[in-house]
Amino acid sequence: MDDKLKELADLMFPNVKHDIAYYENKYPKRNLKEGARVTRFAPSPTGFVHMGSLLSAFEDYKAAKDTDGVFYLRIEDTDQKRSVENGIVGILNDLKNFDIIPDEGMISETESIGNYGPYIQSERMEIYHTFCKDLVLRGLAYPCFCSSSELDETREIQEINKERIGYYGSFAKCRSLTIEEAIKKIKNKEEFVVRLKSPGNFSNKIVLHDEVRGDIEFPENDLDVVLIKSTDKLPTYHFAHLVDDHLMRTTHVMRGEEWIASFPIHDQLFEIFNFEKPKYAHLGLVMKIDEEGTRRKLSKRKDKEASVEYYHKEGIPKEAVKLYLLTIANSNFEEWLDSNPDKSIDEFKFDFKKISASGSLFDVQKLLNISKNYLSRQKASTIYNNLLTWTKEFDLEFANILENNKDYAIKIFNIERDTLKPRKDYLSYSDIKNHVWYMFDKYFKNVVYDFQKINQKEDLKIILETYLTNYLDLSDKEVWFNKIKEMCDKLGYASNIKEYKKNPELFKGNVSDIATVLRVALTSKTNTPDLYEIMILLGNLKIKERFTKCLESIK
Ligand code: GLU
């Protein structure tokens, strides 16, 4: 080996103790069954998961689980600006809230599980340096001493001359430094970054395969990209990706489409090291249509629905969020769900070909619709338990009421539930109170009665009093309803809607107007679930009480 080159490499990487072979040995090929996928979620420790990242984490998780593979969590903290205190725990919590539990990787701020760690990049310095030193020794990487003002100058010249921007060819000044010059500068303590000496030619075309988008043609990379940064000696994304995804034996790199442009750089790095290349899937962005009707990226800054915390606060069940994410990201999911309504989503097989390349359109209304359908299919006791958990965090008063009235609450949630076409009115756990508050005296105060057609005190009084004196027997729905009809006939309202429609002028109203009076007097609302069931749950004592309260309130 060239002694001078060795001297340079040692000076550049004084702390490297091992060689690549050592790490290849330490992190052997994984012993998994044929076709098993190894995927990863690789966020910066920002403390939370954005909806778009959750979607990609979920797809990563599914892609691995479908094949009995491995899904791991790697923390990419090489960009210190994006790190926040306790940033890993926040991510773990968000993932856990959606049942995405990695098989390997970080499990707290400092601990990890798995044999392919460290799973946090700042602890992998020696590994990156080992790999980079190898490139220097092979003449494929070099120190670059250009200052930022020199780089700016080059860029300006390129802009003026309408040339491609970047550090390449004759613009790559430090490429032509001799080894001796470089050694001298390092000995003089000049700051440097390490750059790839790209063997590529921009006029060559290469075709790279993307699992989602198919074959994509690119010019070959000729940029001498930075591999190791100067100040902290941490690797850039490009280099860390190569080293980590190789040594962690990732089979499928699923990442945001913003990385497509760097795909040729990554392919070149894998070529240079002669490593087996992972498969790549560049996922489309999560978009929304904003108030002005423009399609744009869901933004963590502008859109509250971009943070996964929002769903937790709103009480949208995680299952509904997952169903929704699978729906927007996989073109075949909705159809699968329609034909397999009772199967667990774990049984849905993930397929790269069915992922939308153009991005997924995020629409909270559609999510709420899925949530509503999901909640309508749950047992009343499940609703009770989950609502209790949610209220304990967000509405303590309601939590106490629920806890003290467990059977009653479950019966309320059960109205029109155990049927072939269950009632769909709860959008989320936070929405349930909007639909049931009037069943609890604590909330049934200062109510405004929404009377409709029959709204005169005299008429209301007669109806409510007639009901109270004659019709309190709730033992059978048919008997009860016949009695209501009897009351209609007696008070001059039509018990038969058809007859009423033929000659409306003969009646003061019809049976449904009477039912509305009873409903409004009991609940203050015109639209509620089944009146008979509500009456049974309230019981005769409360019915009397509420009718009296109602009559008192009408002037
Ligand atoms: N840390 C990178 C990001 O957040 C990860 C990209 C990747 O998955 O490779 O964009």
Side-chain angles (χ1 to χ4, degrees):
M1 186 188 300
D2 184 328
D3 283 350
K4 280 284 159 203
L5 205 52
K6 182 160 182 335
E7 188 185 344
L8 175 65
D10 286 342
L11 271 175
M12 288 169 75
F13 300 103
N15 300 322
V16 166
K17 291 193 281 292
H18 302 291
D19 59 7
I20 291 185
Y22 167 85
Y23 291 109
E24 292 291 351
N25 227 1
K26 182 163 177 194
Y27 306 111
K29 226 175 143 115
R30 290 170 185 269
N31 192 6
L32 296 170
K33 72 171 202 207
E34 179 78 23
R37 297 185 189 122
V38 179
T39 63
R40 82 290 192 282
F41 179 46
S44 303
T46 51
F48 70 94
V49 177
H50 170 280
M51 206 56 194
S53 319
L54 182 73
L55 175 60
S56 105
F58 192 36
E59 296 280 51
D60 268 311
Y61 173 83
K62 258 215 88 21
K65 291 290 137 186
D66 277 5
T67 55
D68 295 328
V70 176
F71 166 69
Y72 69 87
L73 174 67
R74 180 170 74 223
I75 296 296
E76 306 214 326
D77 61 344
T78 57
D79 182 356
Q80 301 291 342
K81 287 197 290 297
R82 298 186 63 197
S83 305
V84 300
E85 219 179 308
N86 294 324
I88 301 178
V89 166
I91 289 172
L92 285 166
N93 284 342
D94 281 349
L95 292 182
K96 198 163 131 235
N97 276 337
F98 289 93
D99 304 322
I100 305 176
I101 314 285
D103 302 305
E104 277 177 21
M106 299 308 288
I107 52 164
S108 75
E109 286 302 322
T110 50
E111 299 149 296
S112 66
I113 49 169
N115 297 328
Y116 289 79
Y119 293 90
I120 179 159
Q121 290 181 328
S122 54
E123 287 176 22
R124 302 174 59 78
M125 290 284 269
E126 201 186 326
I127 309 181
Y128 302 125
H129 289 184
T130 305
F131 279 66
C132 200
K133 184 173 181 182
D134 180 84
L135 281 186
V136 174
L137 288 169
R138 288 159 58 204
L140 283 163
Y142 62 91
C144 165
F145 303 88
C146 288
S147 63
S148 49
S149 58
E150 277 173 293
L151 294 175
D152 287 347
E153 222 170 88
T154 308
R155 167 184 273 270
E156 269 167 38
I157 294 172
Q158 289 171 333
E159 272 168 6
I160 291 167
N161 297 338
K162 300 214 172 352
E163 299 206 60
R164 194 157 48 88
I165 308 290
Y167 204 85
Y168 61 92
S170 59
F171 296 110
K173 287 191 203 146
C174 293
R175 215 179 221 250
S176 47
L177 285 178
T178 63
I179 298 172
E180 288 76 10
E181 282 168 324
I183 289 176
K184 203 166 147 207
K185 281 175 177 286
I186 294 178
K187 284 190 172 160
N188 274 342
K189 305 247 174 304
E190 279 186 47
E191 284 280 310
F192 66 91
V193 299
V194 186
R195 287 188 184 271
L196 170 71
K197 192 180 257 178
S198 171
N201 178 344
F202 192 73
S203 352
N204 289 346
K205 294 274 172 270
I206 54 168
V207 174
L208 300 177
H209 184 75
D210 181 289
E211 295 297 298
V212 176
R213 292 148 208 267
D215 287 346
I216 313 177
E217 197 183 81
F218 294 94
E220 203 170 56
N221 176 57
D222 68 345
L223 296 175
D224 284 359
V225 290
V226 175
L227 304 176
I228 302 284
K229 297 182 272 186
S230 80
T231 34
D232 43 21
K233 300 285 171 221
L234 283 165
T236 54
Y237 171 80
H238 305 309
F239 198 58
H241 155 53
L242 165 95
V243 174
D244 295 346
D245 282 316
H246 170 65
L247 288 182
M248 295 179 186
R249 310 293 171 180
T250 309
T251 62
H252 290 72
V253 171
M254 297 162 70
R255 59 185 181 187
E257 65 179 15
E258 66 272 22
W259 295 110
I260 293 182
S262 323
F263 198 179
I265 300 174
H266 303 152
D267 183 74
Q268 190 173 62
L269 286 169
F270 273 89
E271 286 276 337
I272 289 173
F273 279 98
N274 203 15
F275 291 156
E276 192 181 330
K277 295 176 190 172
K279 293 195 160 85
Y280 288 85
H282 292 96
L283 307 174
L285 297 171
V286 175
M287 318 282 288
K288 81 173 256 175
I289 298 197
D290 67 14
E291 294 72 41
E292 285 92 55
T294 359
R295 199 178 151 109
R296 64 164 170 79
K297 188 180 166 193
L298 191 66
S299 138
K300 138 186 144 212
R301 210 166 30 81
K302 294 190 207 147
D303 308 312
K304 56 183 184 329
E305 71 269 30
S307 108
V308 301
E309 182 60 21
Y310 167 77
Y311 303 91
H312 183 57
K313 283 197 186 130
E314 284 294 301
I316 298 175
K318 62 182 175 195
E319 292 80 1
V321 176
K322 288 200 275 187
L323 285 172
Y324 182 60
L325 289 181
L326 286 172
T327 308
I328 58 170
N330 305 275
S331 61
N332 54 339
F333 179 71
E334 230 164 345
E335 202 184 311
W336 177 86
L337 189 64
D338 281 347
S339 10
N340 302 283
D342 301 320
K343 281 200 181 150
S344 147
I345 53 173
D346 294 343
E347 290 182 50
F348 169 71
K349 284 275 175 247
F350 172 88
D351 180 353
F352 284 105
K353 306 251 159 357
K354 303 285 193 230
I355 296 183
S356 142
S358 57
S360 319
L361 197 58
F362 196 82
D363 175 354
V364 177
Q365 287 316 316
K366 199 161 174 204
L367 166 57
L368 286 174
N369 208 27
I370 288 186
S371 173
K372 187 165 73 175
N373 281 311
Y374 174 80
L375 287 172
S376 78
R377 291 195 304 271
Q378 303 310 303
K379 283 202 171 63
S381 55
T382 311
I383 296 278
Y384 175 85
N385 290 335
N386 293 342
L387 178 63
L388 187 60
T389 311
W390 184 86
T391 50
K392 278 185 176 165
E393 199 172 342
F394 298 104
D395 185 350
L396 260 186
E397 184 184 74
F398 194 26
N400 283 332
I401 293 177
L402 289 170
E403 237 166 358
N404 295 331
N405 299 280
K406 180 171 177 180
D407 292 345
Y408 179 62
I410 293 179
K411 282 183 188 147
I412 297 171
F413 304 144
N414 209 34
I415 299 180
E416 293 181 56
R417 177 165 297 270
D418 246 345
T419 67
L420 230 49
K421 272 188 169 254
R423 191 177 171 91
K424 298 176 180 176
D425 41 12
Y426 308 158
L427 291 175
S428 62
Y429 292 115
S430 66
D431 182 46
I432 295 182
K433 196 170 161 189
N434 298 333
H435 299 274
V436 301
W437 61 272
Y438 54 79
M439 296 301 283
F440 301 96
D441 284 347
K442 172 110 189 151
Y443 298 128
F444 200 75
K445 285 182 188 146
N446 309 322
V447 288
V448 179
Y449 295 95
D450 185 16
F451 282 114
Q452 302 282 305
K453 192 157 141 193
I454 309 173
N455 54 23
Q456 294 306 306
K457 180 158 187 174
E458 272 320 299
D459 293 334
L460 295 168
K461 197 165 177 266
I462 291 179
I463 294 169
L464 296 179
E465 279 172 359
T466 312
Y467 182 91
L468 283 179
T469 23
N470 303 296
Y471 305 112
L472 279 172
D473 181 4
L474 289 167
S475 52
D476 180 274
K477 188 170 184 175
E478 219 183 296
V479 174
W480 169 81
F481 193 52
N482 283 336
K483 291 211 165 191
I484 304 264
K485 287 199 206 156
E486 240 173 58
M487 172 160 86
C488 287
D489 296 334
K490 192 167 145 190
L491 299 180
Y493 296 84
S495 59
N496 182 315
I497 301 270
K498 266 194 203 145
E499 266 176 39
Y500 175 75
K501 283 194 173 151
K502 262 192 260 161
N503 298 303
E505 68 288 350
L506 297 182
F507 304 94
K508 286 160 84 177
N510 65 42
V511 61
S512 92
D513 300 322
I514 293 274
T516 300
V517 169
L518 302 178
R519 190 186 303 275
V520 173
L522 281 181
T523 66
S524 79
K525 290 160 60 100
T526 44
N527 187 7
T528 72
D530 191 81
L531 178 61
Y532 175 73
E533 300 214 30
I534 287 182
M535 284 190 152
I536 292 207
L537 285 185
L538 287 173
N540 283 334
L541 211 62
K542 205 154 278 174
I543 293 176
K544 272 189 204 165
E545 216 176 274
R546 291 207 174 177
F547 283 178
T548 315
K549 181 181 160 95
C550 173
L551 285 172
E552 275 165 12
S553 80
I554 326 169
K555 297 272 149 15

